[in-house]
Amino acid sequence: MGFFIDMAKRFTDTEIWEKEWFMSLKPRMKCLVKFVRDRCDLAGIWSANWRLAEMYIGEKVNESELLSIDGGRQFAKLPSGKIFCTGFINFQY
């Protein structure tokens, strides 16, 4: 009998590639945006794991870079230290 892991299904914004703020990012930062949005929970909250992010992306990334994307309009740091993907809930649901 097989072992199954229940993974969350997500809508993906295929128009992100035409958004000016995304177009201006370097490839490693585009990967970080996609990684965080794919790894966050159903409420759009990511329990930051920078080591894992760097392993998947293949380059150094950090919190200050993520939070500065699009002038800080794409991600926010919560009092808990976790990262919130702004607009995630509205887009997904």
Side-chain angles (χ1 to χ4, degrees):
M1 192 146 178
F3 179 78
F4 296 95
I5 298 174
D6 188 21
M7 300 295 290
K9 304 255 188 292
R10 300 279 164 82
F11 290 109
T12 187
D13 182 3
T14 58
E15 295 176 2
I16 196 168
W17 300 97
E18 284 82 34
K19 294 181 179 172
E20 202 167 320
W21 67 266
F22 191 78
M23 290 170 53
S24 71
L25 297 176
K26 296 201 179 297
R28 72 183 180 86
M29 296 308 293
K30 289 177 182 174
C31 288
L32 181 59
V33 167
K34 300 295 278 177
F35 177 81
V36 171
R37 289 185 175 177
D38 285 348
R39 301 299 301 175
C40 69
D41 66 17
L42 296 175
I45 298 171
W46 180 54
S47 296
N49 184 334
W50 298 105
R51 188 172 173 196
L52 184 65
E54 289 174 356
M55 185 195 73
Y56 277 108
I57 294 166
E59 293 192 43
K60 281 272 208 209
V61 291
N62 63 57
E63 182 179 274
S64 63
E65 289 179 306
L66 179 68
L67 296 176
S68 69
I69 291 173
D70 192 26
R73 290 184 287 273
Q74 299 301 316
F75 301 95
K77 186 172 182 177
L78 300 174
S80 65
K82 296 179 180 184
I83 304 295
F84 177 65
C85 304
T86 59
F88 180 85
I89 295 171
N90 287 342
F91 181 81
Q92 292 297 318
Y93 305 102

